[in-house]
Amino acid sequence: FLQSDTNYDVAMRLGVLDRRLASESAILDLMILASCDFFIGQLSGEFSRLAFELSVANKGFVPPYMSLDTYAWAPRYALAHLPDWWQEPE
């Protein structure tokens, strides 16, 4: 319904984007992603990670997956530029 490069926050503020439609579309996307037999995505993003977690919860096991990130599961990926913060002290 919108191009992938659309700034959704700005579009909603300008009234160009229907908030209900955007919300329903996001929930539908999550449900479709969670129902897949194999997951390929960026696990550094909250949306993709949530879809993967829902998939695990619904299936009861970790389905086959491939991360498009540098790290397979990166909960601290956003802070990877600060290695001293998350590494164990020597």
Side-chain angles (χ1 to χ4, degrees):
F1 72 118
L2 287 176
Q3 295 178 355
S4 62
D5 61 347
T6 302
N7 186 328
Y8 292 99
D9 186 47
V10 172
M12 281 191 266
R13 289 173 194 246
L14 294 174
V16 179
L17 176 64
D18 179 13
R19 293 176 185 195
R20 181 181 174 124
L21 179 63
S23 300
E24 289 174 352
S25 176
I27 291 170
L28 180 62
D29 287 347
L30 275 175
M31 296 296 105
I32 291 171
L33 282 170
S35 69
C36 293
D37 295 327
F38 191 93
F39 185 86
I40 300 174
Q42 291 181 295
L43 294 175
S44 62
E46 297 295 331
F47 192 85
S48 296
R49 194 164 45 229
L50 176 59
F52 186 68
E53 290 169 346
L54 287 171
S55 179
V56 172
N58 289 336
K59 291 174 176 60
F61 62 91
V62 177
Y65 71 94
M66 179 178 288
S67 175
L68 300 176
D69 297 317
T70 305
Y71 309 104
W73 183 260
R76 298 183 186 122
Y77 184 73
L79 299 174
H81 63 285
L82 302 173
D84 296 335
W85 181 83
W86 60 272
Q87 290 181 349
E88 294 292 325
E90 294 178 8

